[in-house]
Structure formats: structure tokens, C-alpha cells
Amino acid sequence: MNIRLIGWAGSVVVIIAYWPQIHHLYIERCAWGLSLLTWTLWLVSSSLLLTYAFMLGDSLFICVQVINITAIVTTIILARRANTVCPLHLAAAEARATGTSGSE
């Protein structure tokens, strides 16, 4: 098996991994529990790794970092525009505040 195929498969998994967060932010406009500081640090990290990938001339590594940066920037933008708490997270917050499990 071509080793680069493993890298490209990993790139597909990266895209799939970001999808639930971005979809939730876009549809529900809910950023409950999302740390913008964490996402900003991931953006800095991916930017540094992209620079490194360019220096190596590794097209797969470059592609993965471009995907990461695009998804991270999208997440940050959508989180900053989020102005609601979705019913799922609201129920969890209410359950935590009242000391119940939320499943009663």
C-alpha cells in the first residue's frame, strides 16, 4: 500500500472530524462550552506547521494544514457570531445548575 494513501486518508478524517462542530455552530448558532482561546492556539499551531510544511515542500502536509486552518477559522468565526444556547446544551446547563442528571 502506498504510504501517501495513509496520509490522504488521514486528511479525510480531519475533514470529517471538524464537520460536527462546524455544523452545530452553523445550524444551532450555539457555542456552548467552546473555548476560543483553545481554537486560537490551534490556529497558531497550524499556521506554524503550515510554514514548516512549505519549508519541507510536502504537498500532503500542506494540504492537511490548509484544511486545519480553514476549519479552525470557520469555527472561530461561527463561534463569535453564536448568540444562542441550543436546547441540548440548555438542558445540560439547567441540569447542572439544579444538580440533576438531566435525564429525569
Side-chain angles (χ1 to χ4, degrees):
M1 175 154 83
N2 184 344
I3 195 164
R4 298 210 36 99
L5 185 60
I6 295 170
W8 286 109
S11 298
V12 170
V13 173
V14 167
I15 295 168
I16 293 168
Y18 280 115
W19 177 250
Q21 182 70 68
I22 290 171
H23 183 261
H24 184 75
L25 284 165
Y26 182 76
I27 298 299
E28 299 291 340
R29 296 180 73 105
C30 172
W32 179 262
L34 191 137
S35 168
L36 286 177
L37 176 59
T38 298
W39 285 91
T40 302
L41 290 172
W42 280 335
L43 179 60
V44 170
S45 171
S46 287
S47 298
L48 291 170
L49 288 170
L50 178 60
T51 302
Y52 180 66
F54 272 116
M55 292 170 76
L56 290 177
D58 186 329
S59 61
L60 173 60
F61 200 19
I62 291 168
C63 180
V64 171
Q65 294 314 313
V66 167
I67 292 168
N68 276 336
I69 290 170
T70 301
I72 292 166
V73 168
T74 301
T75 299
I76 291 170
I77 289 169
L78 291 175
R80 291 190 50 98
R81 77 159 190 139
N83 59 2
T84 63
V85 177
C86 69
L88 176 68
H89 289 123
L90 185 58
E94 290 172 349
R96 189 177 320 158
T98 61
T100 62
S101 67
S103 60
E104 287 122 28

